[in-house]
Amino acid sequence: MAGKIIVAGHICLDITPVFASEKAQPLSSVLTPGKLVQMKDVSISTGGAVANTGLALKVLGADVELMGKVGDDEFGRIVLDRLRGCGAEGGMLVSEDSSTSYSVVIAPPGTDRIFLHNPGANDTFRAEDLDFEKIAEADFFHFGYPPIMRHMYEDEGEELAGIFRRVKEAGLTTSLDMAAVDPDSDAGKADWGKILEKVLPYVDYFVPSVEELCFMADRPRYEEWLTRAAGGDVTSVISVEEDIRPLAEKILDMGASRLLIKCGTPGMYFTDGRTEIFERSYKPERVLSGTGAGDTSIAAFLKARMEGRSIEESLHLAAATGASCVEAYDALGGLRSFEELECRIKEGWEKL
């Protein structure tokens, strides 16, 4: 089966300071006004769905082309240089009118990440920035992070829906990933229920995180989750039966064909309305950073589907890739081939 995949949407530069202490402690005790926090080196890498999912697909052996936008600035040159090193810079656009997007990733040991994010050139990205002639020659199309791309959520997602409608009319298999939404931003004020209803009928695989999805599709339920978590990780206090399944049913009713929900450390939930699977995470040898774990697990899932593997096999490889990813500070450093992952799974890789 295989074929070619286009990965389009959000790209940025990730700047991740590495904490010297490996001791897990509350964020409130790490980052306090006036405190000096001893650090190690800083990890600088490409980030966003285009880089994380796109380059992971390339590492895994897929025929992939990236389509994104950076600014004509120092950060943009770093991003392009990193992509060039992977032979993946060809489809990128350089804007003279906007800056390159960046994220400062704060990831203390034992604490979920905090992102200080500037959307930059992603806010100027439009349908006209996509090369639809090249897209029409591909077999798969993946788009990532519309919540931090202004034109993708404005006008109730008309531009995003138009992109997916056009791609589906060209006969491609489509997938869509989301990103966290800042409630105080313009994206936080958008009507995501209407956006999803417009775009999901053209999406074959919808692959958001459970927090992102609940924020967009069921805000009262999301607020209740936050209350239940009391400042902790939401995924540690929700269940499939009471929380994830009702949310999934709502999304399927909006027109999604297949839904893969990333549920953090516990695992991944898949349903197409007939089949339902919860794939528990594999236990990593060490945890350095969760940066890119969701994106790279989706890359593995899509690559497996491109190869014609079953949903079950695809989920195994997705979960195994996510576990490998967290063993490095960047999104790509911990990745292993499917052959290595399958060998480790057959040897009895422990699940969480």
Side-chain angles (χ1 to χ4, degrees):
M1 191 173 172
K4 181 175 182 177
I5 183 168
I6 303 293
V7 179
H10 184 282
I11 190 167
C12 66
L13 189 70
D14 279 347
I15 304 166
T16 308
V18 179
F19 283 80
S21 173
E22 297 182 359
K23 179 183 177 182
Q25 50 188 315
L27 186 65
S28 58
S29 68
V30 178
L31 302 179
T32 59
K35 181 178 180 179
L36 174 67
V37 180
Q38 184 76 31
M39 305 297 290
K40 290 184 180 178
D41 296 332
V42 62
S43 172
I44 298 178
S45 59
T46 51
V50 169
N52 291 346
T53 304
L55 293 182
L57 278 160
K58 195 168 185 66
V59 169
L60 294 172
D63 181 3
V64 58
E65 180 160 350
L66 313 184
M67 295 185 182
K69 182 186 281 189
V70 297
D72 185 14
D73 52 26
E74 187 63 28
F75 281 0
R77 286 186 281 277
I78 293 173
V79 169
L80 291 176
D81 185 60
R82 298 293 176 93
L83 296 182
R84 193 173 296 113
C86 300
E89 81 285 1
M92 296 298 298
L93 295 176
V94 178
S95 170
E96 296 182 357
D97 303 320
S98 50
S99 62
T100 300
S101 175
Y102 71 86
S103 290
V104 178
V105 185
I106 311 297
T111 302
D112 199 6
R113 298 153 294 157
I114 294 175
F115 297 90
L116 308 179
H117 182 71
N118 170 30
N122 295 296
D123 270 350
T124 69
F125 190 96
R126 308 201 68 134
E128 63 193 35
D129 293 321
L130 292 169
D131 187 336
F132 283 97
E133 289 187 6
K134 285 187 177 179
I135 290 172
E137 296 172 355
D139 303 281
F140 284 72
F141 177 82
H142 179 72
F143 194 97
Y145 295 11
I148 38 182
M149 303 180 72
R150 180 173 297 278
H151 293 302
M152 297 301 110
Y153 61 77
E154 285 183 333
D155 300 322
E156 297 180 351
E158 192 60 44
E159 186 117 1
L160 182 66
I163 290 171
F164 272 86
R165 187 185 307 114
R166 188 169 175 181
V167 172
K168 278 305 296 178
E169 288 173 352
L172 281 73
T173 298
T174 60
S175 53
L176 173 64
D177 198 358
M178 288 295 182
V181 181
D182 178 355
D184 298 322
S185 68
D186 290 340
K189 300 176 179 64
D191 191 333
W192 284 98
K194 289 184 178 178
I195 294 171
L196 293 177
E197 287 176 346
K198 281 187 177 181
V199 71
L200 288 182
Y202 307 104
V203 176
D204 294 300
Y205 294 99
F206 186 36
V207 295
S209 78
V210 70
E211 299 100 324
E212 297 159 2
L213 185 60
C214 197
F215 179 92
M216 295 175 184
D218 194 339
R219 192 74 63 88
R221 182 185 294 271
Y222 176 75
E223 297 295 338
E224 192 274 326
W225 286 2
L226 292 181
T227 300
R228 201 189 308 173
D233 186 351
V234 163
T235 62
S236 68
V237 299
I238 61 176
S239 70
V240 171
E241 294 76 14
E242 296 181 5
D243 300 295
I244 299 176
R245 184 179 294 137
L247 182 62
E249 290 172 351
K250 186 171 185 175
I251 297 303
L252 291 176
D253 287 342
M254 289 181 175
S257 298
R258 304 170 191 85
L259 178 61
L260 176 58
I261 305 177
K262 295 164 287 187
C263 300
T265 301
M268 314 174 81
Y269 172 89
F270 173 85
T271 184
D272 59 6
R274 301 176 300 277
T275 301
E276 180 185 54
I277 301 171
F278 191 87
E279 181 73 20
R280 290 187 296 119
S281 296
Y282 288 96
K283 185 176 181 179
E285 294 179 358
R286 60 179 182 172
V287 178
L288 293 182
S289 173
T291 299
D295 290 327
T296 56
S297 65
I298 293 305
F301 178 82
L302 294 175
K303 176 65 163 54
R305 296 300 290 158
M306 289 171 68
E307 293 179 354
R309 295 175 184 254
S310 68
I311 288 293
E312 290 80 5
E313 284 182 294
S314 301
L315 290 172
H316 294 333
L317 291 166
T321 297
S324 299
C325 179
V326 302
E327 295 176 355
Y329 284 110
D330 68 337
L332 305 177
L335 298 189
R336 298 183 174 95
S337 68
F338 279 2
E339 291 73 22
E340 291 177 273
L341 296 177
E342 288 172 323
C343 181
R344 193 171 177 189
I345 291 170
K346 289 178 182 177
E347 290 174 351
W349 192 351
E350 183 182 354
K351 283 182 170 276
L352 294 174

